[in-house]
Amino acid sequence: MNITTPPGTRSSGRPALVAAATIAIVALTVVPPRAEAQVIPPQVPANIAVPSGNTPFLVGHAYGTQNYICLLAPGGFAWTFFGPQATLFGDDGQQLITHFLSANPDEDGTPRATWQQSQDTSAVWAVAAASSTDPAYVVPGAIPWLLLRVVGAEDGPTGGSALSAATFVQRVNTRGGAVPAAQGCAQAANIGRKALVPYTADYVFYRN
């Protein structure tokens, strides 16, 4: 004997099955918010340690140049530092920040080292508070390690604040970037000559 399913019941379970399948797919594709990666403070000389109460929240690996210009100096001529130009990357190789010299709006336009977040364009300006050339940390031919104190900050135009809460910045793990040889800036004809010296470093950002 053949049993025939009544017309009204043949497809009655399909909407429920489709809905269940849709919910399952959505549940599988929803990605929970990614927790902020913990940043471990680097080992540094004691004089560039960050004051207690400040916690590292971001590290950027910088590739760029330290820029010098030949100017008159007491007793002759000298290379004078006039600013960095670098891009900072995360551990995943993605661009995080640009680093350069710019006017700090919180100090009536005083030129300061600047870091600007590449996505939300929040920015901080900082001044060197301490430096170290301790050979136990700093390799030969490298620029000093620094502790920089934030003296200006701005959110991005849409309210982004990835950097603007920073209070201190450390420059560590430096390579290259040192002042060029003196013979390149030894006579009047050299005045105004520029030298863009490649360097790498890690910048560690702190907040409280």
Side-chain angles (χ1 to χ4, degrees):
M1 179 175 64
N2 294 326
I3 299 176
T4 302
T5 304
T9 62
R10 184 182 293 265
S11 59
S12 60
R14 288 182 182 176
L17 290 174
V18 171
T22 302
I23 292 170
I25 291 170
V26 170
L28 289 172
T29 56
V30 170
V31 178
R34 185 166 59 180
E36 189 174 80
Q38 182 180 12
V39 177
I40 306 300
Q43 295 293 317
V44 298
N47 71 308
I48 67 163
V50 173
S52 60
N54 295 275
T55 304
F57 69 95
L58 181 66
V59 177
H61 310 295
Y63 298 83
T65 58
Q66 295 281 299
N67 304 327
Y68 302 87
I69 186 169
C70 181
L71 297 175
L72 279 170
F77 311 90
W79 288 111
T80 302
F81 179 69
F82 72 89
Q85 185 68 47
T87 303
L88 279 60
F89 298 88
D91 290 336
D92 59 1
Q94 297 298 307
Q95 180 176 323
L96 293 177
I97 295 165
T98 52
H99 179 38
F100 50 93
L101 185 73
S102 75
N104 177 14
D106 291 347
E107 293 182 303
D108 296 323
T110 301
R112 296 293 188 195
T114 311
W115 293 263
Q116 186 170 52
Q117 215 272 349
S118 299
Q119 281 73 48
D120 71 11
T121 69
S122 58
V124 293
W125 291 261
V127 60
S131 68
S132 176
T133 56
D134 185 341
Y137 296 89
V138 185
V139 300
I143 52 177
W145 291 21
L146 295 178
L147 173 65
L148 301 115
R149 178 173 53 86
V150 171
V151 291
E154 274 194 353
D155 289 345
T158 59
S161 58
L163 278 187
S164 51
T167 51
F168 288 91
V169 184
Q170 283 173 328
R171 184 178 75 186
V172 298
N173 301 328
T174 55
R175 291 186 178 276
V179 178
Q183 59 263 33
C185 179
Q187 54 187 330
N190 299 141
I191 292 177
R193 182 180 181 183
K194 295 178 181 178
L196 311 182
V197 184
Y199 88 108
T200 62
D202 290 337
Y203 289 93
V204 186
F205 296 84
Y206 292 76
R207 63 190 173 199
N208 54 28

